Amino acid sequence: MMTDAQRIQALLTYTRLNGKKFAERIGLKHPDTVYHIQRGRNGISDRLAERIVTAFPEVAKGWLRSGEGEMLRDAGTGEETATVVRPIRTRTRDIRVERQRVPLYDFEATAGLTPIFTNQNVPIDYLSIPDLPRCDGAVYVRGDSMYPLLKAGDIVMYKQIQDFYNIIWGEMYLISFSYEGEEYITVKFIKKIEGRPDYVLLVSHNPHHAPKEIPVSAIRALAMVKASVRFNTMG
C-alpha cells in the first residue's frame, strides 16, 4: 500500500504540478503542508483530502485517506456523476475560443486518423466547451498507456500538426504511425533523441509501457492534445 508521501507524489505526477503549484491549486497559502507530507513528516488529513477532491473531483477521497483502491474514482462508488474537463498544459500560448463546436470522431470506425484529419469522415457528435483552446477535433482514448493521466473512455481534444519535424518536445500528442507493417493510433509524450534527428521517442505515462523509438517517416498523422474530458459515472 502506498504511503501518504507516495500518494502525494502520485498526485503531483498526475496533475503535472510541482509542490508549490499544487498547494496553490488546492487553496493553500503556503506549500509547507505538501512539502512535509512529501518528506514523511505529516500525513494526509481529512481536511486536506477535502481540499484536494474539491480541486480535483476525479480523485477518490478514500484512496487519499487510506491508500486503498484506485486513485481516480470509478463506477460503483455510490457517488454522484461528474464530468471533468482538463486542459492539457503545454509550453505554447493557446488562443482561447469563447465557444466552439469540436467534432467528435470514432477512429475505430475508420481506417485510422488520416481520413479524419482530411475531412473524409462525418463526426458522431460535437463537443462545446467554453474558453477552450482552438481544437480541430476529438476522439476517445483506447488502452492504458497514459494511465492515470488518461484512461480508456476519456476524450482527448486535439490540434493537428502538419509538419512532423515541428514537434514541441515533451508534449502530449495523438499519433498514428506505421510499425513493422501494422498501423497504430495512440496518445504519447514525444521526446527528442539526441544525435538522431530522423527519429523520435514515444513515451507513456504508465510506467508499465516501455518507450519506443520510431522514425519520423513512420508517422502518418499527428496532433497535439489540448484538453481531455472524463465522465465519472458513479453507481
Side-chain angles (χ1 to χ4, degrees), residues 42-232:
N42 291 331
I44 301 173
S45 66
D46 189 66
R47 186 173 181 180
L48 182 63
E50 191 62 41
R51 283 182 177 272
I52 293 172
V53 298
T54 298
F56 302 98
E58 69 273 29
V59 174
K61 188 175 180 180
W63 175 84
L64 277 171
R65 297 291 284 122
S66 67
E68 296 180 356
E70 297 293 330
M71 179 175 73
L72 302 179
R73 298 191 305 172
D74 206 345
T77 64
E79 299 179 22
E80 296 180 355
T81 299
T83 303
V84 182
V85 181
R86 304 184 63 78
I88 302 298
R89 298 172 181 82
T90 69
R91 290 190 289 272
T92 60
R93 171 170 284 188
D94 292 324
I95 299 175
R96 302 276 171 172
V97 181
E98 183 175 347
R99 181 74 71 170
Q100 59 180 314
R101 295 179 75 233
V102 179
L104 174 64
Y105 297 98
D106 180 6
F107 65 75
E108 290 190 337
T110 70
L113 292 179
T114 302
I116 293 175
F117 285 11
T118 54
N119 299 316
Q120 298 178 36
N121 289 89
V122 177
I124 59 174
D125 210 333
Y126 289 86
L127 301 176
S128 185
I129 300 171
D131 200 30
L132 186 74
R134 187 175 297 279
C135 296
D136 293 319
V139 296
Y140 286 99
V141 173
R142 307 301 182 199
D144 65 347
S145 68
M146 297 303 286
Y147 183 85
L149 191 60
L150 297 172
K151 69 176 183 178
D154 287 357
I155 295 171
V156 292
M157 308 174 80
Y158 60 81
K159 179 68 177 174
Q160 295 176 33
I161 303 296
Q162 303 299 330
D163 183 356
F164 298 162
Y165 284 90
N166 189 25
I167 293 172
I168 300 175
W169 305 116
E171 298 296 346
M172 190 188 305
Y173 288 87
L174 174 66
I175 180 172
S176 173
F177 66 95
S178 176
Y179 183 77
E180 295 183 348
E182 297 288 337
E183 294 290 328
Y184 295 89
I185 300 173
T186 186
V187 177
K188 300 284 187 183
F189 296 117
I190 298 184
K191 297 190 176 182
K192 185 177 183 179
I193 302 176
E194 294 297 335
R196 304 185 72 188
D198 293 329
Y199 281 75
V200 296
L201 185 66
L202 305 183
V203 180
S204 301
H205 190 65
N206 187 336
H208 296 295
H209 292 255
K212 181 183 295 293
E213 294 183 11
I214 65 167
V216 176
S217 60
I219 300 175
R220 300 290 174 259
L222 186 68
M224 180 181 284
V225 175
K226 291 293 185 178
S228 66
V229 180
R230 174 170 300 168
F231 295 92
N232 290 319

